Amino acid sequence: MAVLVIAETDGANLPRGTLATVTAALALDSEVDVLVLDENADAAAAAASGIVGVRSVIKAGGPGLAGGLAENLTPAVVEAAAGYGHLLAPAGTWGKNLMPRVAASMDVQQISDITEVIDAETFVRPIYAGNALATVRSRDPVKIITVRGTAFAVAEAPGGSASVTDGPEVAAHDSARFVSRELSQSDRPELAGARIVISGGRGMGSGENFELLDRLADKLGAAVGASRAAVDAGYVPNDFQVGQTGKVVAPELYIAVGISGAIQHLAGMKDSKVIVAINKDQEAPIFQVADYGLVGDLFKIVPEIVDAL
Amino acid sequence: MKILVAVKRVIDFNVRVRVLPDGSGVETDNVKMSMNPFDEIAVEEAIRLKEAGTAAEVVAVSIGPARCQETIRTALAFGCDRGIHVETDQPPEPLAVAKLLAGVVAVENPSLVILGKQAIDDDSNQTGQMLAALLGWPQGTFASELVIGDGAFDVTREIDGGLETISINAPAVVTTDLRLNEPRYPSLPGIMKAKRKPIEARTPADYGVDVAPRLETVSVAEPPPRPPGRMLDSAAELVHILREEKGIL
């Protein structure tokens, strides 16, 4: 049976997670359709139709798309889902908010955050902050799944030529209203898609000291992240958080600065290709997952790296 | 206003989880168990609303084996007024938990249900959204701020790119993110008082809910280990390796 990808879109931009979700969908079936639920419907549908491997794009319309509220989107997803064997969405905050609401509406037990497709009903997902990998088989007639973006390659786009058809009309209900959105302004790459990520922990000592990491990030074209401890301490906002309860990243290079390496943090970065740890405590657990370690004062070492570049 | 909070008993966040040799699950015998940290945040938020005079009563619910009563006692020690324990042999899956909570809501009629955004054992992040769907209520997930208005709640949500504020009508479901508040430690008088607070015992049959799992766990395995790393002497050596050997820089 065909697979429907519930796409997170941003107008003409296709987030990495959505492209990775298409790859996971193509591992299940060659017939993959994409449902677009974007206020900027035409631009989003045009972008989605360029994803290589997609058969057709279903473009939702209507006043309920504004703000992207799960209360409004859910009935449209349920309507569009008829006839599909699998519904897949990226496991970012957008998909995490929406898909369980869809799943309960369809009396399906969702499978969250899969990292591998074994067969049409069997999937691998991390549990306990990635300290264990569970292989689960679903007995539900329809599988509803969120996909961990870092675990799948991104589908190619543009290059595809999927047809675009008009889909469900999304009504605006008055039980929930969108008020405002404050997105972090940054010229740096997004954490989830960055080739290089530099994260700071409690060892940074203050929010001001993150400037040190900014300088290194600017030189490397890297994104800046943080451990939960640094977020808890108020050094940086929560959207910097890498870990079990924050973002999961798997860049080519991850540099952990002043991060001890709590299990909760490792869950979000241990699949990075090369891990570098800088910490004054040589017993810090971060060194157990690091490919390269430097023991010493980060306030001395980080500027030395900047100078050596 | 009455508030319902849902609390889950999980392996303590400081415990290093071990996979059982037969691959059937993880070691839970003689392992320290605690309230799911995000549920502590949910309890703290409800108690603050009670202390502010906004909430008249806070009821804590837990679903699972007999020892979940300890988790409910912890919630009562925080200051919740009473508990409800729905006993099951195993912790049910999120959909079944949401159905049981919907059953509890039908009896209790709260204006607000607060839950943790995810449990740190199965990391599903589903129950609150599913409960909202089953009740037909609006949802404010991953909340970092909750403002109680007249018949509505303003919820600031942690999203991938920053923050978002929505306004949802009561009754509603809210799930907590980590910056919503910093939970207190239960006081000694709180712990003493908790011993005398009532906990109702219920079963899934009371709510007509089938808790049979929909997912079969085929196996549980350790993730593949990373190869051992190398300690370096200088920043220059690091830059050299990343540039020349790895070709990353």
Side-chain angles (χ1 to χ4, degrees):
Chain A
M1 266 170 107
V3 179
L4 183 64
V5 169
I6 318 301
E8 177 181 10
T9 53
D10 173 22
N13 296 322
L14 289 170
R16 193 193 180 285
T18 294
L19 295 170
T21 302
V22 169
T23 301
L26 287 166
L28 284 162
D29 199 287
S30 59
E31 295 184 339
V32 172
D33 295 344
V34 173
L35 174 64
V36 169
L37 302 151
D38 198 308
E39 203 176 347
N40 199 347
D42 290 330
S49 71
I51 305 173
V52 174
V54 171
R55 180 177 67 174
S56 71
V57 173
I58 303 161
K59 181 179 73 170
L65 293 174
L69 296 165
E71 292 79 356
N72 295 338
L73 301 186
T74 298
V77 176
V78 173
E79 185 187 332
Y84 291 95
H86 295 79
L87 308 186
L88 269 64
T93 50
W94 184 87
K96 287 175 175 174
N97 183 48
L98 174 62
M99 294 311 284
R101 193 169 177 108
V102 171
S105 301
M106 296 175 66
D107 195 31
V108 170
Q109 174 53 56
Q110 175 179 307
I111 308 163
S112 289
D113 216 14
I114 65 161
T115 54
E116 199 183 331
V117 173
I118 304 288
D119 59 40
E121 50 192 28
T122 315
F123 308 90
V124 177
R125 59 179 304 267
I127 54 175
Y128 295 96
N131 282 301
L133 298 174
T135 301
V136 295
R137 185 178 295 136
S138 167
R139 298 190 177 105
D140 283 313
V142 178
K143 321 298 182 218
I144 297 184
I145 291 166
T146 60
V147 175
R148 178 172 289 201
T150 56
F152 296 87
V154 291
E156 201 185 318
S161 54
S163 61
V164 177
T165 55
D166 284 331
E169 190 69 8
V170 182
H173 300 282
D174 66 356
S175 67
R177 295 164 300 280
F178 173 79
V179 178
S180 63
R181 197 169 285 156
E182 250 179 85
L183 299 181
S184 303
Q185 298 297 325
S186 172
D187 299 332
R188 297 211 183 82
E190 265 188 87
L191 259 180
R195 222 182 115 251
I196 302 176
V197 173
I198 304 166
S199 288
R202 201 189 287 279
M204 296 305 298
S206 74
E208 290 75 50
N209 288 340
F210 265 74
E211 203 185 299
L212 202 62
L213 304 188
D214 291 345
R215 259 182 282 158
L216 182 55
D218 286 341
K219 274 228 157 160
L220 296 175
V224 175
S227 68
R228 176 172 171 171
V231 174
D232 276 348
Y235 300 167
V236 288
N238 190 54
D239 55 286
F240 278 53
Q241 193 201 153
V242 172
Q244 180 183 20
T245 57
K247 294 193 174 85
V248 177
V249 301
E252 298 216 353
L253 173 61
Y254 188 89
I255 306 179
V257 183
I259 291 177
S260 64
I263 297 165
Q264 291 76 19
H265 184 72
L266 302 185
M269 46 64 77
K270 67 181 176 185
D271 293 324
S272 304
K273 292 207 180 58
V274 173
I275 297 173
V276 172
I278 300 165
N279 202 297
K280 65 177 185 214
D281 174 12
Q282 60 176 3
E283 302 296 325
I286 191 75
F287 289 120
Q288 287 163 21
V289 300
D291 299 286
Y292 303 104
L294 280 167
V295 176
D297 179 6
L298 69 92
F299 297 102
K300 192 169 149 279
I301 294 173
V302 174
E304 282 172 5
I305 297 174
V306 174
D307 289 343
L309 286 166
Chain B
M1 178 167 82
K2 188 197 275 189
I3 300 177
L4 195 71
V5 289
V7 294
K8 186 175 186 183
R9 183 173 183 263
V10 299
I11 294 181
D12 186 84
F13 76 103
N14 272 319
V15 171
R16 169 108 195 137
V17 170
R18 304 215 177 274
V19 173
L20 292 169
D22 67 358
S24 62
V26 304
E27 181 70 64
T28 53
D29 291 346
N30 302 315
V31 168
K32 186 184 177 199
M33 306 291 282
S34 300
M35 186 189 296
N36 178 44
F38 285 99
D39 301 346
E40 280 191 359
I41 297 173
V43 171
E44 176 67 35
E45 193 68 13
I47 296 306
R48 287 186 189 188
L49 289 169
K50 194 183 168 200
E51 287 167 347
T54 311
E57 189 184 27
V58 180
V59 181
V61 189
S62 191
I63 296 166
R67 296 188 71 179
C68 289
Q69 291 197 12
E70 294 167 15
T71 311
I72 296 174
R73 287 284 168 215
T74 305
L76 299 177
F78 267 95
C80 293
D81 296 294
R82 58 191 171 87
I84 298 171
H85 176 221
V86 185
E87 186 164 353
T88 61
D89 295 339
Q90 297 295 322
E93 291 169 351
L95 180 62
V97 171
K99 288 177 179 176
L100 291 168
L101 290 174
V104 173
V105 166
V107 176
E108 295 287 339
N109 283 310
S111 304
L112 177 62
V113 183
I114 313 181
L115 312 85
K117 74 164 178 178
Q118 82 190 62
I120 60 163
D121 49 5
D122 66 3
D123 286 330
S124 286
N125 194 333
Q126 298 174 3
T127 304
Q129 298 89 310
M130 288 182 154
L131 175 63
L134 297 174
L135 296 170
W137 289 6
Q139 64 191 47
T141 53
F142 327 145
S144 64
E145 196 186 352
L146 171 62
V147 179
I148 312 296
D150 188 12
F153 309 110
D154 284 347
V155 182
T156 302
R157 307 179 52 235
E158 302 274 9
I159 58 172
D160 284 338
L163 294 171
E164 171 181 292
T165 303
I166 60 172
S167 179
I168 52 179
N169 290 351
V173 173
V174 166
T175 74
T176 62
D177 215 318
L178 82 104
R179 288 197 304 179
L180 184 60
N181 60 51
E182 208 170 302
R184 68 195 70 189
Y185 291 96
S187 66
L188 188 58
I191 293 167
M192 298 310 288
K193 267 196 227 160
K195 291 181 180 168
R196 293 189 303 273
K197 290 179 180 174
I199 298 178
E200 267 176 64
R202 291 278 175 265
T203 66
D206 294 337
Y207 304 102
V209 173
D210 175 9
V211 296
R214 307 282 189 89
L215 302 181
E216 173 197 350
T217 300
V218 178
S219 64
V220 176
E222 298 258 9
R226 286 186 73 95
R230 253 169 79 188
M231 298 309 263
L232 308 178
D233 293 323
S234 70
E237 190 184 1
L238 174 68
V239 170
H240 175 81
I241 289 171
L242 295 178
R243 188 172 276 158
E244 307 299 332
E245 291 180 23
K246 294 285 167 185
I248 296 174
L249 302 183

